[in-house]
Structures are given as structure tokens and as C-alpha cells.
Amino acid sequence: MNAMLDLVHRHKSGVPVGIYSVCSAHPLVLEAALRLAHRTGGVALIEATSNQVNQDGGYTGMRPAGFRERVLALASDVGLPHDRVLLGGDHLGPNAWQRMDSAMALEKAGVMVAEYVTAGFRKIHLDCSMSCADDPRSLGDEAIAERNAALCEITEAAWRSAGGEPPVYIIGSEVPVPGGAHETLNELAVTTPEAAHATIEAHRKAFARHGAQAAWSRVVGLVVQPGVEFGHDQVFDYVRSKAVALSRSIEPVAGMVFEAHSTDYQTPAALEALVQDHFAILKVGPAVTFALREMLWALSDIASEMNLMTHQSLKDAVLDSMKRDPRHWKAYYVDAEREHFDLQFSLSDRIRYYWTTPEVSGVCAQMLRELTSARLPLTLVSQYLPIQYAAIRDGRLKNDPRDIVLDGVSQVLRHYANACNPAVPTAA
């Protein structure tokens, strides 16, 4: 992962550059990210989470090697060389097995991280911040660091066996909940410099105890809370003045920047400020699948206006699937009066778990085929997709349903690309 080491070195030398990580398994989101990297001459950092992809298949049904093959096949399709695709693993730890006792959960986490590294993932977020069934409600820095260091031993052994570039690591005990907050938030505390340095020191000592000093030199990022988060219908925007002390605290730490999770839905100006303030690794996930849903919802309405989907609309197929299997959203959408609204429009975007189910993917593919065959009337594109309509009229975008969806996702990713490297043009 020399590209990550080089980027962190450039940032630490005073160049305000960063990198954004796309955390999604949806093929259209992945394609949009890879196309943008190809168009701008950059790299695509794609990450799978421990819930999405693990040795048990995760909710995508894929193991790490299968996810790698999907990403690289898409990269080949869009003409992006494989050496410009970086693969990372997000929240790698016992997250998927929290209901088990810690010994069993951590054993499974060890198997998972080894599979990730063996499959070629080289950006590894070690995250043992969550409690297991026999743990206290919250874990301290020392316990988290000890578990992370034990996993690091496993990843280092897997890398030495597999060969290739050595992995780089992300650590941190103040890790936001994957996928956004469960509840309505009233206040968000920024990580203190003291807490950040305590986490770093606890991990440094734990890595030394486990004989992982060489790996410690490749710890490039610390996950902290810079004051950004989102809930069902609210976004906490980045406020630079509240994060000044935290931002400055990483400057004397050699080889390390901050990684910011839950940056979804931040404004372009906020994203740029985050990178300038040393939150040089930006994670995005639900915001891009939210944009995907917006595009597909608009196309579903257009299909209905054209009387193309007489059996079942895409909207109905998705909502039926979610109500038949509520496990991915029930703990999030607890207000019965808002349930139907939140299923569709919540910023936490639990719909992302359902796009690849056979019934939903089948209806979606049928809708795109029908719309492509019938040709989209520009009047309806203007009505439901005004930004894409303008791009079509200017000759920057084909009047094609699939291209329209990719453009909608790219609208979000371009904000990240501009924030991480303002000198690189990202126009469609």
C-alpha cells in the first residue's frame, strides 16, 4: 500500500491532499467510483466492511476474494488499471459476531482479517471497539488496543505468507457507529487531543508487546470524531472552530493523519476543510447509496408515467422486500408513524441492504431494460432529474438510464475528489 504511505507523507509535508474511501458493495456505486478514478487519473480506494464481506459471506454473500474479483472485473470493464485500485477492509474485528463471547468472536475476527489480507486488501482498519456478549458495556483503550494488536499479528503473518506490498493500518477507539447514528442526536462531542493521544499510546505499547513494531510504522490513520455525523433526517456539519485543538494535535505525530468516518452528506466546503485540517482520509458509504436510491426512485416514477412496469414498480418491490425481512432496519426505524417514510428517505439508508436481493435486483434490471428500450422522454427527465437533464442538453451525458444512475452517484463522489485534490478536474 505504498500509495497510502506516499499520500500521508505528502500531507504531513504540508500539501493539503487526502483520499476518500468508498464503502459500498453495490456494483453501480463501485462502477461510478472506478469511472471517476479513470477519468481523473487518480486511484480508487474501495473498502468492504466486516458486515458486508467476511468468511461467512456477510450480507452480500461474498468472501474477501470474491469482493476483490468483483471490483477488479469492474475496473477492467471501465479501463482502470488494477494498480490504481486500492482495497481496504473497514471495521475489521468482532463487529459481525458481537452476540458471541469475546474469545469466539475474536477467533472469527482473526480468520476474517487473514482472509482479507490474503485476498489482497492492504488498508486494514482494526476495530475491536465494540463489546461482545461477555464484555462490559464499554471497553477501555488498553483492552481495545490489546485486541487490535493481536489481530495485527495475524494480518502480518498473512501478508508475509501472501507476499506483495505490506498492509497499512487504521486504528482508533472513538469509532462512530457504522452506517450512521441509530437515534436522534442532540449534541456531538469532538474527540479531545488527550483522548486521541491516549489511544495512540495504548496501541503503540500493545503493538510492541505483540512484537509488531514494524507494523506500527505503517499505522497511517487514527479514527476520531471531528464533529460530523448524520441521523435519519439531520446532518451535523463540520465546524472547524470546534476541532482546532484536535486538528493541531496530530501534527507532531510522525506518519499519521486522522481518518473521518460518517462524512456522508457533508457540504463540499466542509469536506475540503476536513482534508485541510488533517482529516485526510474521508469515508463515504450511505451518501452514495442514498444518491443511487434517488436516481432509481426517479426512474421508477418515470417508468410509471410511461406505463412500463404494469406488474410491480421498483419502489413497491423494494418496500415489499424490506417489510418481509426487517432485520436490517428494525433497530433503526423505531417510530411506527414514520416507518414508511424512513424506509425510503432516511439518511441512514437501510435500503442499501436490499438492492442485491434477487427479487429487487430482478425488478431493477427489468425497469432499466424497459426504459432503455422505450427511450426516456426529455420532458420526464426534466421533471424528475433536472440536473441530469441539463447535462444531457449540454451534451455531457447520454440520455440513457444506466448512465443517468452512474452520474447521480458521481455527483456525490466528485465532491470528495475535489476536496482531496482540488487541482484535479472532475467534471463529467
Side-chain angles (χ1 to χ4, degrees), residues 238-258:
Y238 179 57
V239 179
R240 299 183 84 166
S241 60
K242 294 182 178 180
V244 170
L246 176 61
S247 171
R248 291 175 178 169
S249 72
I250 200 68
E251 290 175 355
V253 181
M256 196 179 298
V257 296
F258 288 130

Side-chain angles (χ1 to χ4, degrees), residues 1-44:
M1 191 60 77
N2 292 331
M4 285 293 300
L5 293 170
D6 291 344
L7 180 132
V8 172
H9 175 75
R10 289 178 63 205
H11 186 94
K12 298 295 283 189
S13 69
V15 183
V17 294
I19 190 168
Y20 64 99
S21 169
V22 179
C23 301
S24 178
H26 196 287
L28 288 172
V29 170
L30 296 176
E31 182 177 343
L34 295 164
R35 284 184 181 275
L36 184 59
H38 181 261
R39 188 161 60 245
T40 60
V43 299

Side-chain angles (χ1 to χ4, degrees), residues 83-104:
D83 61 1
R84 284 167 52 193
V85 179
L86 310 181
L87 294 175
D90 196 29
H91 295 288
L92 300 189
N95 188 45
W97 304 285
Q98 292 180 63
R99 294 182 181 179
M100 298 180 179
D101 285 349
S102 57
M104 179 61 72

Side-chain angles (χ1 to χ4, degrees), residues 198-212:
T199 297
I200 293 172
E201 184 62 14
H203 278 79
R204 185 189 65 77
K205 291 178 178 177
F207 274 53
R209 285 195 301 271
H210 284 263

Side-chain angles (χ1 to χ4, degrees), residues 357-377:
T357 61
E359 58 271 26
V360 171
S361 61
V363 174
C364 186
Q366 180 192 357
M367 182 190 75
L368 294 175
R369 286 195 303 270
E370 296 281 358
L371 288 170
T372 301
S373 178
R375 298 183 63 83
L376 291 174

Side-chain angles (χ1 to χ4, degrees), residues 56-275:
D56 299 328
Y59 72 77
T60 63
M62 284 187 290
R63 296 172 71 165
F67 184 84
R68 178 202 63 209
E69 292 308 312
R70 168 179 283 187
V71 173
L72 294 183
L74 288 168
S76 295
D77 289 343
V78 305
L80 182 67
H82 291 183
D83 61 1
R84 284 167 52 193
V85 179
L86 310 181
L87 294 175
D90 196 29
H91 295 288
L92 300 189
N95 188 45
W97 304 285
Q98 292 180 63
R99 294 182 181 179
M100 298 180 179
D101 285 349
S102 57
M104 179 61 72
L106 290 166
E107 182 179 340
K108 291 182 76 67
V111 172
M112 177 181 64
V113 295
E115 280 206 18
Y116 266 80
V117 173
T118 300
F121 291 71
R122 288 295 181 269
K123 178 181 178 288
I124 304 298
H125 173 208
L126 297 171
D127 181 12
C128 292
S129 61
M130 62 289 300
S131 295
C132 300
D134 60 339
D135 285 327
R137 186 169 184 177
S138 62
L139 300 175
D141 270 334
E142 287 73 19
I144 295 169
E146 180 65 24
R147 291 179 177 186
N148 282 343
L151 289 185
C152 183
E153 270 196 278
I154 296 171
T155 61
E156 289 288 287
W159 159 59
R160 287 191 292 269
S161 177
E165 292 184 0
V168 299
Y169 295 99
I170 307 296
I171 59 170
S173 55
E174 296 202 14
V175 183
V177 175
H182 288 239
E183 66 284 329
T184 299
L185 301 171
N186 296 314
E187 188 176 356
L188 202 60
V190 175
T191 301
T192 66
E194 294 77 15
H197 282 273
T199 297
I200 293 172
E201 184 62 14
H203 278 79
R204 185 189 65 77
K205 291 178 178 177
F207 274 53
R209 285 195 301 271
H210 284 263
Q213 292 92 334
W216 180 250
S217 70
R218 289 179 264 111
V219 175
V220 297
L222 175 69
V223 180
V224 290
Q225 177 50 272
V228 301
E229 185 55 278
F230 58 93
H232 298 314
D233 56 8
Q234 64 179 157
V235 179
F236 280 83
D237 291 316
Y238 179 57
V239 179
R240 299 183 84 166
S241 60
K242 294 182 178 180
V244 170
L246 176 61
S247 171
R248 291 175 178 169
S249 72
I250 200 68
E251 290 175 355
V253 181
M256 196 179 298
V257 296
F258 288 130
E259 176 169 286
H261 291 218
S262 299
T263 68
D264 305 77
Y265 312 108
Q266 292 292 307
T267 66
L271 294 174
E272 186 173 342
L274 280 163
V275 173

